[in-house]
């Protein structure tokens, strides 16, 4: 009778003991959470600054680029004229 009682008690107590953690989840498994949180927050902060910068740059753009003539001189100098620095302006073939 004691053997049966021992088996029943052993059968009830063994499942309540601590089991080994699953592979890849050792006791130090959750310690990376603070570092991961810091990285995510830094990336979020960088994204906010990039969006702010880009929105400022977009508001500075002209409403239309249609006024630019095709082949116009981007420096704004006519052929054969000099620039503010005294250099000859671009010549067209």
């Amino acid at each position: 009778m004691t053997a049966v009682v021992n088996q029943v008690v052993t059968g009830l107590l063994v499942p309540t003991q601590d089991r080994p953690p699953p592979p890849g989840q050792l006791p130090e498994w959750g310690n990376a959470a603070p570092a991961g949180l810091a990285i995510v927050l830094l990336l979020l902060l960088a994204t906010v600054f990039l969006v702010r910068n880009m929105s400022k740059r977009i508001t500075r753009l002209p409403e239309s680029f249609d006024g630019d003539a095709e082949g116009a001189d981007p420096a704004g100098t006519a052929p054969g004229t000099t620039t503010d620095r005294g250099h000859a302006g671009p010549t067209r073939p």
Side-chain angles (χ1 to χ4, degrees):
M1 181 75 112
T2 54
V4 173
V5 172
N6 281 341
Q7 286 180 352
V8 171
V9 171
T10 305
L12 293 174
L13 293 178
V14 169
T16 61
Q17 294 176 354
D18 288 335
R19 295 181 181 153
Q25 292 186 359
L26 298 176
E28 67 273 357
W29 183 72
N31 293 341
L37 178 64
I39 290 171
V40 168
L41 290 177
L42 286 174
L43 288 173
L44 182 65
L45 185 67
T47 304
V48 167
F49 281 122
L50 284 172
V51 168
R52 285 182 56 204
N53 188 0
M54 287 288 105
S55 65
K56 285 180 185 178
R57 289 179 180 267
I58 288 173
T59 57
R60 292 183 200 157
L61 288 175
E63 291 195 23
S64 173
F65 291 105
D66 293 337
D68 294 338
E70 193 171 316
D73 183 21
T77 58
T81 61
T82 58
T83 61
D84 293 339
R85 296 188 185 104
H87 301 290
T91 59
R92 295 185 187 167

